[in-house]
Each structure stands twice: as C-alpha cells, then as structure tokens.
Amino acid sequence: MLRIRNPYLRSLIAGGLVFAILASGCSIVLTQGPPKPGESDYDATGAYPGGVPCTSSRMWPLVDLGLMLWVLALTVNYDNRDDQIDGSLTAAAAAISTWIGYRRTKACRDAQAMAGALPAAPP
C-alpha cells in the first residue's frame, strides 16, 4: 500500500479526490441540450430566431474527461483493493458524465447548424 507520511500532501490528495468525486457530474449538471417538443422554448420550425437555448461549449465534458483520466492515473497506483474499486467507480461516473455532456453539446451544435441553415422567414 502506498503510504504518504506528509500530512499536508495527504490532505491535498484527499481534497483532490473529494473534488473529483463532487465534480465528476459537471456535464450532467452544467450542460443543456436543445429544447424538446413540449418544452416552453421549443420552436417547431427549428428556426430559433433568438438562438438555440442550449450549451454548445464542450468545456464541461472536457473537465469531466480530465477528472476521469486523473482519477484513473491515481487508481492504478493503489495497492488496496477497496481503493481501486472506489477509484474505478469514480472514474466510471466521470466517464458517464463526459458521454452525456458530449451528446448534449453535439445535439446543441447540430440544432444550431440547422437553425443557421434555414432560410429566413419572410416579414
């Protein structure tokens, strides 16, 4: 088992792991796909004159991806089986969040491209 004697370093690593666990859902919480039928801001024509209300930036999925890779790198060095399982589950949560965020931002970008490709409505 990896033993870290420096209490400051131990606290820093523990704080980083807590941050990774709490932040591994960034994409789930902070990204929004394009509106679906039945939602108040849905435009059936697909034109969205004020712009499509969704998240097109891939920043949060990339944050989740970075956290997932960081947690995996730490997990590889664990000697304790329980720690390896915890790290793997945290990395899996970040991977799922990354996938959800990527799908939402892709759908948003596609909706924005469709809204920009539509001809303007006559006045």
Side-chain angles (χ1 to χ4, degrees), residues 8 40 56 59 73 119 122:
Y8 175 74
S40 62
S56 63
M59 181 182 72

Side-chain angles (χ1 to χ4, degrees), residues 25-43:
C26 291
S27 293
I28 294 173
V29 176
L30 299 174
T31 61
Q32 178 183 356
K36 294 179 174 54
E39 292 181 359
S40 62
D41 49 359
Y42 177 73
D43 185 355

Side-chain angles (χ1 to χ4, degrees), residues 56-97:
S56 63
S57 170
R58 294 227 168 109
M59 181 182 72
W60 295 117
L62 289 174
V63 167
D64 283 337
L65 179 65
L67 287 171
M68 179 195 71
L69 294 174
W70 181 61
V71 170
L72 281 176
L74 290 176
T75 302
V76 169
N77 294 320
Y78 290 147
D79 293 330
N80 185 348
R81 178 109 171 115
D82 291 338
D83 291 341
Q84 290 174 346
I85 291 171
D86 290 345
S88 298
L89 291 175
T90 303
I96 291 168
S97 180

